[in-house]
Amino acid sequence: MTRDADEQLVARAQRGDMTAFERLVDHYERKIYNLAYRLTGNHEDAGDMAQEAFIRVYQSLPNFRGESAFATWLFKIASNACLDELRRRKRQPVSSLDEPVELDDGETPRQFADVGDGPEQAVERRELQRAVHESIMALPEEYRIVLVLRDLHDLSYNEIVELTGLTLGTVKSRLNRARAQLKEKLLRLELLPPHFVYTDRRGKLSEL
Amino acid sequence: MNCDTVGPLLAAYLDNELSEAEQTAVRRHTSRCAACARALSEIKYTITAMRSLPEVDVPADFRPRLRQRLAELPATRAADIAARELRRVRPRRTWAWWGLPSTAVAAALMLGIVLFPAGSPAVVDEPEGPAAVARQEGQSDATTGGVADPADAADAADAGAMSGGAAEPVEPTAPDGPTPEPGAEPPPRPGADPTPAPAPQPNAPAPQQPVANHDVPVTDPPAAADGVGGFDVGVAGITTPAAPLAEHLEVVRADVALQVADTAAAAQDLQELAAALEGQVEIEESEGLWRAVLRVAPEHLDAALDAVAALGAVTAQDQSSQDVGWQVSQLRAELAGLQERRTRLVEEVAAARSANNVDTAAGLEAESDALAERMAAMQEELDFLERATARATINLQLAPADGTR
């Protein structure tokens, strides 16, 4: 949906038009739910947090003046809802974050060129996905949020800056560390292919 | 560049988020350094692995649950909108001019009294025209920001508080925010029990919704009361019959700066003018500048402005009006809904008492009290709006024509 279309719906929702608000939910619920799922790590919390996000958005609509895109504002509220909850849990640990990670049947990978579609590869793919998900969940929240926004939601660095309130330098450094930590975890689990850099005859390094 | 400097740049390099020089430097280094090339490749693979994560489906019960929760929300949204409109309206009516906190001035206006602090800036230094209004709104936009999440709103409220009483206060309106700042803008609380005008039900009554969460912050208003200290609070004289729903209610004000030959004589003329138009006038002299606030029935505004202009040479004039009919009707509807809820709560308290459920009764009672406080604050806003619409206000600056001040 374009920013214009969003703005029109937001304006209508601000005047109390529930249909317009529902259309915004239609458009964003999948993204917000997925964001919450990758930040909290499980479906139960993802559902709760995504609901919380939409409720906060609904209640804050009167304050939304359109200086940032509605999508950015929504993402910000959603990620704040998740971070609030994660931090609250850290102070008062409960079990659900420690439960084993579930991966739904029927999930379809968005892109993974390196992996074929045979049964063995499917198993490998699921194993890798599980490991990646668990590794993301093992990251500190501050790293997890930038990683999820960048690599799963494809936000630009500037959008992440706007959304998190961090400086560009901090976003860069956290993203770098997040990816490096994730990489280390995958290496330890031997989930990265072993040989992928070689030196060609002229001494130049190339990738396989 | 060496390995140590390249390492931290690898992620941004892959996202093409480095400067051109940095991109080139990293590319050059990784084409020669096996360790960094390997690290780069691993990160690239990690990103690919990350992006291979599937999207998950939204559970089927998500929307029904969300709809239900939205329906169960108390009708705070209308109140939020009304509260925001109020905050937008009040500063426009200019209280910054007088250097008083808006709540204090609001109270003063209701009493027909305006206080001129000795240190308040002269109109020539601080013109209250469209530019000043624009400046104020710009400020509020900056503090509210486009991203109104609770934490930001709280920060903005802090910032507003630090920048002085004249700044438009911003309060967090998302009720479940981490730490809403209570009393960012304490609404004055009337002494008497509110008796809201009958009005249609708000759309969603919510018997079981916790009240405290959604309360407009209410704190004691001693500051406002002190702001008009010394004046007889009992003189509040303006009474307005309850306006019908969705009436067109305008808050009208005009600002006029005037040069007169004799300020004292002009002040005298103003007294007579006010009397002739059955209005009120307050006049204060400070450092040679005379200020006056003239209140007349809106239909007499033009006549009053003409008469004022005849007193001398008008050097600046601005007029603004704001329709608050909608806010008033929203507030009334909201209040009626809250009244119903309160009645139910009171019944529940009685029932809990007779059943000897002491804890339950205490809890319900606290809820009921909180509700009453919130209603009182809303009633005060409503009274303020209704009174503000009953009279047009003319703010006057009188300067001697010889320019000596």
Side-chain angles (χ1 to χ4, degrees):
Chain A
M1 202 173 332
T2 66
R3 187 166 172 168
D4 276 358
D6 274 1
E7 277 171 5
Q8 281 172 18
L9 287 173
V10 168
R12 281 169 52 195
Q14 282 176 326
R15 292 194 295 269
D17 181 344
M18 276 308 282
T19 315
F21 187 73
E22 291 248 351
R23 283 203 49 206
L24 288 167
V25 179
D26 281 342
H27 187 250
Y28 287 108
E29 69 175 0
R30 191 173 173 86
K31 284 180 185 164
I32 294 302
Y33 184 83
N34 272 274
L35 173 69
Y37 178 67
R38 296 304 175 189
L39 289 178
T40 62
N42 66 79
H43 285 285
E44 195 189 337
D45 291 327
D48 288 348
M49 290 304 105
Q51 297 245 331
E52 178 66 23
F54 281 113
I55 289 196
R56 284 188 192 182
V57 160
Y58 180 75
Q59 291 184 312
S60 304
L61 269 179
N63 294 334
F64 178 70
R65 297 192 188 177
E67 275 112 357
S68 63
F70 174 76
T72 309
W73 185 61
L74 173 60
F75 266 67
K76 171 163 189 166
I77 288 179
S79 41
N80 277 346
C82 293
L83 291 183
D84 287 349
E85 181 63 15
L86 291 170
R87 286 171 187 152
R88 194 183 65 78
R89 298 235 177 126
K90 231 197 260 174
R91 293 194 296 272
Q92 190 184 7
V94 289
S95 58
S96 74
L97 283 183
D98 305 326
E99 282 167 9
V101 174
E102 15 160 356
L103 280 179
D104 283 354
D105 284 330
E107 287 176 346
T108 43
R110 280 175 295 192
Q111 53 172 89
F112 202 24
D114 310 49
V115 179
D117 283 320
E120 276 178 34
Q121 285 91 340
V123 170
E124 277 174 26
R125 189 180 66 213
R126 285 181 80 77
E127 191 191 351
L128 177 66
Q129 287 169 352
R130 178 185 297 269
V132 171
H133 184 85
E134 285 174 354
S135 301
I136 294 171
M137 292 314 297
L139 292 173
E141 293 111 51
E142 293 79 16
Y143 293 2
R144 195 186 311 153
I145 180 90
V146 288
L147 188 71
V148 167
L149 289 174
R150 173 66 207 156
D151 286 336
L152 293 183
H153 292 273
D154 216 24
L155 265 58
S156 73
Y157 282 33
N158 282 334
E159 284 170 320
I160 298 173
V161 163
E162 190 179 351
L163 199 149
T164 57
L166 301 170
T167 64
L168 183 59
T170 308
V171 167
K172 279 185 185 171
S173 108
R174 285 191 185 172
L175 188 59
N176 198 60
R177 282 160 199 248
R179 284 173 174 170
Q181 284 194 18
L182 193 59
K183 179 194 86 172
E184 291 306 318
K185 284 181 204 298
L186 297 182
L187 278 175
R188 244 180 320 203
L189 295 166
E190 298 181 348
L191 285 168
L192 292 187
H195 305 295
F196 37 157
V197 179
Y198 70 98
T199 311
D200 69 16
R201 278 173 301 175
R202 285 169 298 172
K204 189 168 183 299
L205 295 166
S206 300
E207 281 175 56
L208 276 176
Chain B
M1 279 202 184
N2 59 36
C3 302
D4 289 340
T5 50
V6 162
L9 299 178
L10 291 178
Y13 170 75
L14 288 172
D15 291 325
N16 211 7
E17 292 269 359
L18 296 175
S19 69
E20 217 170 292
E22 285 174 321
Q23 290 286 139
T24 311
V26 172
R27 189 166 46 243
R28 194 171 295 152
H29 179 85
T30 51
S31 70
R32 291 183 192 133
C33 167
C36 287
R38 186 185 174 93
L40 184 68
S41 191
E42 284 168 350
I43 289 173
K44 209 185 274 182
Y45 193 88
T46 301
I47 293 169
T48 311
M50 176 88 184
R51 295 190 171 190
S52 78
L53 284 177
E55 273 194 358
V56 293
D57 290 327
V58 180
D61 68 343
F62 184 82
R63 282 303 271 280
R65 265 177 68 208
L66 180 61
R67 276 197 198 104
Q68 191 182 340
R69 284 188 65 188
L70 287 171
E72 280 172 2
L73 288 177
T76 47
R77 252 202 80 219
D80 287 344
I81 293 171
R84 179 192 60 157
E85 289 303 324
L86 268 176
R87 286 193 295 275
R88 284 158 60 95
V89 170
R90 278 187 180 156
R92 183 166 306 177
R93 278 192 243 106
T94 74
W95 322 116
W97 212 28
W98 310 112
L100 284 178
S102 64
T103 43
V105 183
L109 179 68
M110 268 182 286
L111 302 175
I113 291 165
V114 168
L115 186 68
F116 304 130
S120 59
V123 73
V124 285
D125 300 323
E126 188 77 12
E128 179 59 11
V133 171
R135 199 167 55 240
Q136 238 169 12
E137 289 186 334
Q139 182 180 7
S140 81
D141 285 346
T143 52
T144 307
V147 181
D149 96 310
D152 274 9
D155 290 346
D158 286 344
M162 281 184 294
S163 67
E168 176 181 3
V170 178
E171 67 190 13
T173 42
D176 299 326
T179 48
E181 289 281 317
E185 185 190 24
R189 186 192 307 163
D193 269 345
T195 49
Q201 277 300 296
N203 42 10
Q208 300 306 326
Q209 200 68 20
V211 176
N213 259 357
H214 300 276
D215 270 350
V216 176
V218 173
T219 55
D220 287 322
D226 292 348
V228 290
F231 288 92
D232 182 3
V233 178
V235 298
I238 310 167
T239 52
T240 320
L245 201 64
E247 192 190 349
H248 187 73
L249 289 171
E250 275 197 320
V251 175
V252 181
R253 66 169 280 233
D255 300 301
V256 180
L258 204 60
Q259 278 192 335
V260 294
D262 179 350
T263 44
Q268 183 60 37
D269 290 343
L270 277 175
Q271 298 276 11
E272 286 165 17
L273 177 61
L277 294 174
E278 294 177 315
Q280 299 159 322
V281 68
E282 304 289 332
I283 301 175
E284 183 89 7
E285 188 262 330
S286 165
E287 295 171 10
L289 257 188
W290 292 68
R291 291 184 177 151
V293 177
L294 178 62
R295 285 187 192 78
V296 296
E299 61 268 28
H300 291 152
L301 177 67
D302 289 341
L305 284 173
D306 289 347
V308 163
L311 295 178
V314 175
T315 53
Q317 181 165 357
D318 180 43
Q319 189 173 332
S320 66
S321 69
Q322 177 97 18
D323 183 8
V324 294
W326 188 77
Q327 285 98 299
V328 167
S329 64
Q330 291 288 321
L331 275 167
R332 283 195 192 128
E334 172 85 356
L335 260 172
L338 292 181
Q339 178 64 50
E340 283 232 331
R341 214 161 104 208
R342 175 131 195 260
T343 310
R344 266 198 312 272
L345 271 170
V346 169
E347 284 164 7
E348 283 170 27
V349 169
R353 281 232 182 83
S354 59
N356 254 345
N357 286 335
V358 183
D359 288 348
T360 312
L364 288 169
E365 210 161 17
E367 200 177 322
S368 165
D369 287 349
L371 197 56
E373 242 177 51
R374 177 170 163 217
M375 286 168 57
M378 289 179 66
Q379 183 66 46
E380 189 71 10
E381 307 257 45
L382 191 56
D383 290 350
F384 167 78
L385 279 182
E386 286 178 346
R387 285 173 178 149
T389 53
R391 296 277 160 145
T393 304
I394 304 171
N395 291 305
L396 273 165
Q397 295 278 333
L398 301 179
D402 60 15
T404 54
R405 287 180 63 176

